[in-house]
Amino acid sequence: MDASRIYDVLILGGGNAALCAAIMARRAGRSVLVLECAPKHFRGGNSRHTRNLRCMHDAPADVLTDAYPEEEYWQDLVKVTGGETNERLARMTIRHTATCRAWMAEQGVRFQPSLGGTLHVSRTNAFFLGGGKALINAYYRAAEALGVEVSYDSEVTHLGIRDGRFGSAIVARAGAEHEIRARTVVAAAGGFESNLAWLREAWGPVADNFIVRGTPYNKGRVLRILLDSGAKSIGDPTQGHCVAIDARAPKFDGGICTRVDCVSLGIVVNENCERFYDEGEDFWPKRYAIWGRLVAGQPNQIGYSIIDAKAMGKFMPPVFPPVTGRSIGELATALKLDSTKLTATVAQFNAAVRPGTFDHTILDDCATEGLSPPKTHWARAIDTPPYFAWPLRPGITFTYLGVTVNEKAQVILEDGSPAANIYAAGEIMAGNVLGKGYIAGIGMSIGTTFGRIAGEEAARHAAG
């Protein structure tokens, strides 16, 4: 970090979107400085916890099978967002994913075929060999080889923005403050999911029971500065990527291995031993990210995913072992639930199950009848001991409140005009595409698309 010079492009953040922007800007011949608030060994934001990105393709391609055309991708997104998305920006993202893998490979990213389990995504998602950590390391190696400068443990405390134009950033590092000047800035510093006070402001006291499955460094500092400086906001502060994770997970940084993926193979009850949603509504990649919000709406923000021996081995197991019981009553006792109530709930569910041909790879005909809420697919009686359960808490990954952008990744101001030299990419602008809901892998798709666009546009602006 050289406070004596004026950089062409200043990147705020150190995850996927930030590194894509940095590489693009540097390849365009611009000087680039990346400010990462985390220490080096925790660099990468939530990107280091990821596994894949969702990709459009019209035919089998490298690790992707069959085809996943634009319109199907778009309809999947519309379904989970309820239409709360900017179609123009969403379709830009979708189309970009058809070609970005070759560029990623040029930076050293490698892919692998998808694994088995409940995420049936070999057709829709390209998985990173080594996961998000390997992807982030590849991007940093590529960026540094190009001459991108990186400063770790560097917290942005102020942005000098006047009349929609950025001039400099005040950065706290090693106990001192530094003013860093640049011709353009790309905000790619994530959302506010690890800011517990801001979560409580949005959600109320229920947020105290949330677990942040991602990085503890996404406190929303840059987002707050931009909003206070006249950037137009987008999204609801209570919306985000929020999944059901093991209630025994650490408060921060548990990552993907804490997610519980057996929901669609059994039932989920709250602490009153009551079911509260259709566990078989749709394929897990399209529904796993609604379960955090569902659990958040239950008493004391706790739920329990329950299966029997028939379901074991049919999903990716989480890092924590299940609670077990030789009977439903014994399982209830182990979970500290009312044994009579849980036994009755399971018996009622079993009685409502109608005969069908179970197939977890399709929307099968195994459903309940006369039960509310119903289970519309993959409904099988829970009758084969031993029985297993995982306690669930809302696990928030990232928030959707962000800044509005246009197709050039320019930040839009409150008066509707684009900022002169301020760009945004990644979680900090994901609310433009994700008004609510989530489909597996689209977060990385958004970050990759707008990271590359922001880097390219910032470089073009810096070149005059």
PDB file of all heavy atoms in Angstrom, residues 304-330:
ATOM      1  N   TYR A 304     -35.815 -29.369  13.912  1.00  0.00           N
ATOM      2  CA  TYR A 304     -35.171 -30.675  13.983  1.00  0.00           C
ATOM      3  C   TYR A 304     -35.507 -31.462  12.722  1.00  0.00           C
ATOM      4  O   TYR A 304     -36.680 -31.686  12.412  1.00  0.00           O
ATOM      5  CB  TYR A 304     -35.642 -31.453  15.228  1.00  0.00           C
ATOM      6  CG  TYR A 304     -35.391 -30.701  16.508  1.00  0.00           C
ATOM      7  CD1 TYR A 304     -36.339 -29.811  17.015  1.00  0.00           C
ATOM      8  CD2 TYR A 304     -34.186 -30.850  17.195  1.00  0.00           C
ATOM      9  CE1 TYR A 304     -36.100 -29.096  18.183  1.00  0.00           C
ATOM     10  CE2 TYR A 304     -33.946 -30.134  18.365  1.00  0.00           C
ATOM     11  CZ  TYR A 304     -34.903 -29.257  18.848  1.00  0.00           C
ATOM     12  OH  TYR A 304     -34.660 -28.541  19.990  1.00  0.00           O
ATOM     13  N   SER A 305     -34.471 -31.855  11.974  1.00  0.00           N
ATOM     14  CA  SER A 305     -34.642 -32.666  10.778  1.00  0.00           C
ATOM     15  C   SER A 305     -34.557 -34.135  11.179  1.00  0.00           C
ATOM     16  O   SER A 305     -33.553 -34.561  11.774  1.00  0.00           O
ATOM     17  CB  SER A 305     -33.560 -32.325   9.755  1.00  0.00           C
ATOM     18  OG  SER A 305     -33.723 -33.080   8.578  1.00  0.00           O
ATOM     19  N   ILE A 306     -35.610 -34.901  10.859  1.00  0.00           N
ATOM     20  CA  ILE A 306     -35.725 -36.278  11.338  1.00  0.00           C
ATOM     21  C   ILE A 306     -35.853 -37.237  10.160  1.00  0.00           C
ATOM     22  O   ILE A 306     -36.672 -37.028   9.254  1.00  0.00           O
ATOM     23  CB  ILE A 306     -36.943 -36.427  12.277  1.00  0.00           C
ATOM     24  CG1 ILE A 306     -36.750 -35.531  13.510  1.00  0.00           C
ATOM     25  CG2 ILE A 306     -37.156 -37.878  12.674  1.00  0.00           C
ATOM     26  CD1 ILE A 306     -37.971 -35.444  14.399  1.00  0.00           C
ATOM     27  N   ILE A 307     -35.040 -38.296  10.161  1.00  0.00           N
ATOM     28  CA  ILE A 307     -35.095 -39.337   9.140  1.00  0.00           C
ATOM     29  C   ILE A 307     -34.987 -40.698   9.820  1.00  0.00           C
ATOM     30  O   ILE A 307     -34.713 -40.786  11.018  1.00  0.00           O
ATOM     31  CB  ILE A 307     -33.964 -39.200   8.097  1.00  0.00           C
ATOM     32  CG1 ILE A 307     -32.589 -39.310   8.778  1.00  0.00           C
ATOM     33  CG2 ILE A 307     -34.082 -37.901   7.322  1.00  0.00           C
ATOM     34  CD1 ILE A 307     -31.424 -39.348   7.807  1.00  0.00           C
ATOM     35  N   ASP A 308     -35.191 -41.747   9.013  1.00  0.00           N
ATOM     36  CA  ASP A 308     -34.966 -43.090   9.541  1.00  0.00           C
ATOM     37  C   ASP A 308     -33.825 -43.755   8.779  1.00  0.00           C
ATOM     38  O   ASP A 308     -33.164 -43.120   7.938  1.00  0.00           O
ATOM     39  CB  ASP A 308     -36.255 -43.919   9.508  1.00  0.00           C
ATOM     40  CG  ASP A 308     -36.721 -44.257   8.105  1.00  0.00           C
ATOM     41  OD1 ASP A 308     -36.026 -43.909   7.124  1.00  0.00           O
ATOM     42  OD2 ASP A 308     -37.791 -44.877   7.974  1.00  0.00           O
ATOM     43  N   ALA A 309     -33.595 -45.011   9.056  1.00  0.00           N
ATOM     44  CA  ALA A 309     -32.436 -45.705   8.491  1.00  0.00           C
ATOM     45  C   ALA A 309     -32.484 -45.786   6.969  1.00  0.00           C
ATOM     46  O   ALA A 309     -31.438 -45.867   6.322  1.00  0.00           O
ATOM     47  CB  ALA A 309     -32.338 -47.104   9.091  1.00  0.00           C
ATOM     48  N   LYS A 310     -33.691 -45.770   6.363  1.00  0.00           N
ATOM     49  CA  LYS A 310     -33.805 -45.865   4.906  1.00  0.00           C
ATOM     50  C   LYS A 310     -33.130 -44.707   4.200  1.00  0.00           C
ATOM     51  O   LYS A 310     -32.689 -44.834   3.054  1.00  0.00           O
ATOM     52  CB  LYS A 310     -35.288 -45.912   4.483  1.00  0.00           C
ATOM     53  CG  LYS A 310     -36.073 -47.103   4.951  1.00  0.00           C
ATOM     54  CD  LYS A 310     -37.412 -47.207   4.242  1.00  0.00           C
ATOM     55  CE  LYS A 310     -38.316 -46.007   4.462  1.00  0.00           C
ATOM     56  NZ  LYS A 310     -38.763 -45.846   5.863  1.00  0.00           N
ATOM     57  N   ALA A 311     -33.081 -43.545   4.849  1.00  0.00           N
ATOM     58  CA  ALA A 311     -32.558 -42.331   4.208  1.00  0.00           C
ATOM     59  C   ALA A 311     -31.049 -42.177   4.348  1.00  0.00           C
ATOM     60  O   ALA A 311     -30.434 -41.403   3.610  1.00  0.00           O
ATOM     61  CB  ALA A 311     -33.247 -41.095   4.786  1.00  0.00           C
ATOM     62  N   MET A 312     -30.459 -42.911   5.257  1.00  0.00           N
ATOM     63  CA  MET A 312     -29.015 -42.769   5.463  1.00  0.00           C
ATOM     64  C   MET A 312     -28.252 -43.211   4.212  1.00  0.00           C
ATOM     65  O   MET A 312     -28.605 -44.180   3.557  1.00  0.00           O
ATOM     66  CB  MET A 312     -28.563 -43.586   6.663  1.00  0.00           C
ATOM     67  CG  MET A 312     -29.045 -43.021   7.989  1.00  0.00           C
ATOM     68  SD  MET A 312     -28.478 -41.328   8.326  1.00  0.00           S
ATOM     69  CE  MET A 312     -26.792 -41.619   8.856  1.00  0.00           C
ATOM     70  N   GLY A 313     -27.204 -42.443   3.884  1.00  0.00           N
ATOM     71  CA  GLY A 313     -26.403 -42.745   2.704  1.00  0.00           C
ATOM     72  C   GLY A 313     -26.906 -42.111   1.427  1.00  0.00           C
ATOM     73  O   GLY A 313     -26.272 -42.256   0.375  1.00  0.00           O
ATOM     74  N   LYS A 314     -28.020 -41.404   1.509  1.00  0.00           N
ATOM     75  CA  LYS A 314     -28.593 -40.781   0.311  1.00  0.00           C
ATOM     76  C   LYS A 314     -28.385 -39.271   0.266  1.00  0.00           C
ATOM     77  O   LYS A 314     -28.994 -38.579  -0.540  1.00  0.00           O
ATOM     78  CB  LYS A 314     -30.087 -41.094   0.216  1.00  0.00           C
ATOM     79  CG  LYS A 314     -30.377 -42.571  -0.072  1.00  0.00           C
ATOM     80  CD  LYS A 314     -31.861 -42.849  -0.176  1.00  0.00           C
ATOM     81  CE  LYS A 314     -32.120 -44.245  -0.738  1.00  0.00           C
ATOM     82  NZ  LYS A 314     -31.496 -45.307   0.052  1.00  0.00           N
ATOM     83  N   PHE A 315     -27.537 -38.739   1.128  1.00  0.00           N
ATOM     84  CA  PHE A 315     -27.265 -37.301   1.152  1.00  0.00           C
ATOM     85  C   PHE A 315     -25.849 -37.089   1.670  1.00  0.00           C
ATOM     86  O   PHE A 315     -25.253 -37.969   2.283  1.00  0.00           O
ATOM     87  CB  PHE A 315     -28.279 -36.559   2.033  1.00  0.00           C
ATOM     88  CG  PHE A 315     -28.280 -37.017   3.468  1.00  0.00           C
ATOM     89  CD1 PHE A 315     -27.551 -36.331   4.433  1.00  0.00           C
ATOM     90  CD2 PHE A 315     -29.013 -38.134   3.862  1.00  0.00           C
ATOM     91  CE1 PHE A 315     -27.541 -36.753   5.751  1.00  0.00           C
ATOM     92  CE2 PHE A 315     -29.009 -38.563   5.175  1.00  0.00           C
ATOM     93  CZ  PHE A 315     -28.274 -37.875   6.130  1.00  0.00           C
ATOM     94  N   MET A 316     -25.329 -35.896   1.376  1.00  0.00           N
ATOM     95  CA  MET A 316     -23.996 -35.538   1.871  1.00  0.00           C
ATOM     96  C   MET A 316     -24.090 -35.265   3.371  1.00  0.00           C
ATOM     97  O   MET A 316     -24.792 -34.336   3.785  1.00  0.00           O
ATOM     98  CB  MET A 316     -23.480 -34.306   1.141  1.00  0.00           C
ATOM     99  CG  MET A 316     -23.209 -34.531  -0.336  1.00  0.00           C
ATOM    100  SD  MET A 316     -21.792 -35.601  -0.641  1.00  0.00           S
ATOM    101  CE  MET A 316     -20.455 -34.476  -0.229  1.00  0.00           C
ATOM    102  N   PRO A 317     -23.434 -36.049   4.200  1.00  0.00           N
ATOM    103  CA  PRO A 317     -23.575 -35.855   5.648  1.00  0.00           C
ATOM    104  C   PRO A 317     -22.884 -34.580   6.108  1.00  0.00           C
ATOM    105  O   PRO A 317     -21.823 -34.222   5.590  1.00  0.00           O
ATOM    106  CB  PRO A 317     -22.895 -37.095   6.233  1.00  0.00           C
ATOM    107  CG  PRO A 317     -21.897 -37.501   5.196  1.00  0.00           C
ATOM    108  CD  PRO A 317     -22.528 -37.165   3.873  1.00  0.00           C
ATOM    109  N   PRO A 318     -23.472 -33.877   7.084  1.00  0.00           N
ATOM    110  CA  PRO A 318     -22.804 -32.693   7.644  1.00  0.00           C
ATOM    111  C   PRO A 318     -21.674 -33.107   8.567  1.00  0.00           C
ATOM    112  O   PRO A 318     -21.470 -34.297   8.846  1.00  0.00           O
ATOM    113  CB  PRO A 318     -23.926 -31.982   8.412  1.00  0.00           C
ATOM    114  CG  PRO A 318     -24.853 -33.092   8.807  1.00  0.00           C
ATOM    115  CD  PRO A 318     -24.792 -34.111   7.698  1.00  0.00           C
ATOM    116  N   VAL A 319     -20.949 -32.132   9.055  1.00  0.00           N
ATOM    117  CA  VAL A 319     -19.756 -32.422   9.863  1.00  0.00           C
ATOM    118  C   VAL A 319     -20.119 -32.996  11.230  1.00  0.00           C
ATOM    119  O   VAL A 319     -19.360 -33.763  11.809  1.00  0.00           O
ATOM    120  CB  VAL A 319     -18.897 -31.148  10.004  1.00  0.00           C
ATOM    121  CG1 VAL A 319     -19.581 -30.091  10.849  1.00  0.00           C
ATOM    122  CG2 VAL A 319     -17.520 -31.478  10.560  1.00  0.00           C
ATOM    123  N   PHE A 320     -21.316 -32.659  11.744  1.00  0.00           N
ATOM    124  CA  PHE A 320     -21.703 -33.134  13.071  1.00  0.00           C
ATOM    125  C   PHE A 320     -22.494 -34.438  12.957  1.00  0.00           C
ATOM    126  O   PHE A 320     -23.331 -34.582  12.070  1.00  0.00           O
ATOM    127  CB  PHE A 320     -22.551 -32.088  13.795  1.00  0.00           C
ATOM    128  CG  PHE A 320     -21.803 -30.825  14.114  1.00  0.00           C
ATOM    129  CD1 PHE A 320     -21.920 -29.717  13.307  1.00  0.00           C
ATOM    130  CD2 PHE A 320     -20.980 -30.758  15.218  1.00  0.00           C
ATOM    131  CE1 PHE A 320     -21.228 -28.552  13.585  1.00  0.00           C
ATOM    132  CE2 PHE A 320     -20.279 -29.603  15.524  1.00  0.00           C
ATOM    133  CZ  PHE A 320     -20.406 -28.492  14.700  1.00  0.00           C
ATOM    134  N   PRO A 321     -22.272 -35.389  13.847  1.00  0.00           N
ATOM    135  CA  PRO A 321     -23.027 -36.649  13.804  1.00  0.00           C
ATOM    136  C   PRO A 321     -24.479 -36.423  14.220  1.00  0.00           C
ATOM    137  O   PRO A 321     -24.786 -35.472  14.953  1.00  0.00           O
ATOM    138  CB  PRO A 321     -22.292 -37.533  14.812  1.00  0.00           C
ATOM    139  CG  PRO A 321     -21.693 -36.569  15.780  1.00  0.00           C
ATOM    140  CD  PRO A 321     -21.306 -35.367  14.958  1.00  0.00           C
ATOM    141  N   PRO A 322     -25.377 -37.313  13.773  1.00  0.00           N
ATOM    142  CA  PRO A 322     -26.776 -37.138  14.162  1.00  0.00           C
ATOM    143  C   PRO A 322     -27.031 -37.544  15.602  1.00  0.00           C
ATOM    144  O   PRO A 322     -26.266 -38.321  16.197  1.00  0.00           O
ATOM    145  CB  PRO A 322     -27.513 -38.067  13.197  1.00  0.00           C
ATOM    146  CG  PRO A 322     -26.517 -39.155  12.913  1.00  0.00           C
ATOM    147  CD  PRO A 322     -25.170 -38.471  12.892  1.00  0.00           C
ATOM    148  N   VAL A 323     -28.141 -37.058  16.147  1.00  0.00           N
ATOM    149  CA  VAL A 323     -28.686 -37.577  17.394  1.00  0.00           C
ATOM    150  C   VAL A 323     -29.468 -38.834  17.016  1.00  0.00           C
ATOM    151  O   VAL A 323     -30.181 -38.845  16.010  1.00  0.00           O
ATOM    152  CB  VAL A 323     -29.605 -36.536  18.062  1.00  0.00           C
ATOM    153  CG1 VAL A 323     -30.203 -37.097  19.351  1.00  0.00           C
ATOM    154  CG2 VAL A 323     -28.829 -35.251  18.336  1.00  0.00           C
ATOM    155  N   THR A 324     -29.336 -39.903  17.766  1.00  0.00           N
ATOM    156  CA  THR A 324     -29.943 -41.169  17.376  1.00  0.00           C
ATOM    157  C   THR A 324     -30.883 -41.709  18.448  1.00  0.00           C
ATOM    158  O   THR A 324     -30.791 -41.340  19.628  1.00  0.00           O
ATOM    159  CB  THR A 324     -28.868 -42.238  17.081  1.00  0.00           C
ATOM    160  OG1 THR A 324     -28.130 -42.498  18.279  1.00  0.00           O
ATOM    161  CG2 THR A 324     -27.900 -41.753  16.010  1.00  0.00           C
ATOM    162  N   GLY A 325     -31.786 -42.595  18.007  1.00  0.00           N
ATOM    163  CA  GLY A 325     -32.695 -43.269  18.929  1.00  0.00           C
ATOM    164  C   GLY A 325     -33.222 -44.542  18.293  1.00  0.00           C
ATOM    165  O   GLY A 325     -33.434 -44.592  17.088  1.00  0.00           O
ATOM    166  N   ARG A 326     -33.439 -45.570  19.115  1.00  0.00           N
ATOM    167  CA  ARG A 326     -33.972 -46.829  18.595  1.00  0.00           C
ATOM    168  C   ARG A 326     -35.475 -46.753  18.374  1.00  0.00           C
ATOM    169  O   ARG A 326     -36.061 -47.604  17.708  1.00  0.00           O
ATOM    170  CB  ARG A 326     -33.640 -47.960  19.569  1.00  0.00           C
ATOM    171  CG  ARG A 326     -32.140 -48.307  19.618  1.00  0.00           C
ATOM    172  CD  ARG A 326     -31.816 -49.186  20.799  1.00  0.00           C
ATOM    173  NE  ARG A 326     -32.041 -48.472  22.067  1.00  0.00           N
ATOM    174  CZ  ARG A 326     -31.814 -48.985  23.264  1.00  0.00           C
ATOM    175  NH1 ARG A 326     -31.351 -50.231  23.370  1.00  0.00           N
ATOM    176  NH2 ARG A 326     -32.042 -48.277  24.360  1.00  0.00           N
ATOM    177  N   SER A 327     -36.095 -45.744  18.923  1.00  0.00           N
ATOM    178  CA  SER A 327     -37.521 -45.473  18.700  1.00  0.00           C
ATOM    179  C   SER A 327     -37.697 -43.970  18.594  1.00  0.00           C
ATOM    180  O   SER A 327     -36.800 -43.199  18.952  1.00  0.00           O
ATOM    181  CB  SER A 327     -38.358 -46.021  19.863  1.00  0.00           C
ATOM    182  OG  SER A 327     -38.069 -45.282  21.056  1.00  0.00           O
ATOM    183  N   ILE A 328     -38.850 -43.551  18.095  1.00  0.00           N
ATOM    184  CA  ILE A 328     -39.119 -42.112  18.008  1.00  0.00           C
ATOM    185  C   ILE A 328     -39.154 -41.505  19.403  1.00  0.00           C
ATOM    186  O   ILE A 328     -38.653 -40.396  19.639  1.00  0.00           O
ATOM    187  CB  ILE A 328     -40.435 -41.852  17.261  1.00  0.00           C
ATOM    188  CG1 ILE A 328     -40.314 -42.286  15.795  1.00  0.00           C
ATOM    189  CG2 ILE A 328     -40.817 -40.377  17.342  1.00  0.00           C
ATOM    190  CD1 ILE A 328     -39.272 -41.514  15.011  1.00  0.00           C
ATOM    191  N   GLY A 329     -39.715 -42.234  20.368  1.00  0.00           N
ATOM    192  CA  GLY A 329     -39.744 -41.737  21.738  1.00  0.00           C
ATOM    193  C   GLY A 329     -38.355 -41.539  22.303  1.00  0.00           C
ATOM    194  O   GLY A 329     -38.071 -40.541  22.971  1.00  0.00           O
ATOM    195  N   GLU A 330     -37.463 -42.504  22.033  1.00  0.00           N
ATOM    196  CA  GLU A 330     -36.082 -42.389  22.513  1.00  0.00           C
ATOM    197  C   GLU A 330     -35.372 -41.225  21.829  1.00  0.00           C
ATOM    198  O   GLU A 330     -34.589 -40.501  22.460  1.00  0.00           O
ATOM    199  CB  GLU A 330     -35.348 -43.697  22.237  1.00  0.00           C
ATOM    200  CG  GLU A 330     -33.941 -43.749  22.819  1.00  0.00           C
ATOM    201  CD  GLU A 330     -33.277 -45.088  22.592  1.00  0.00           C
ATOM    202  OE1 GLU A 330     -33.730 -46.071  23.211  1.00  0.00           O
ATOM    203  OE2 GLU A 330     -32.310 -45.147  21.797  1.00  0.00           O
TER     204      GLU A 330
END
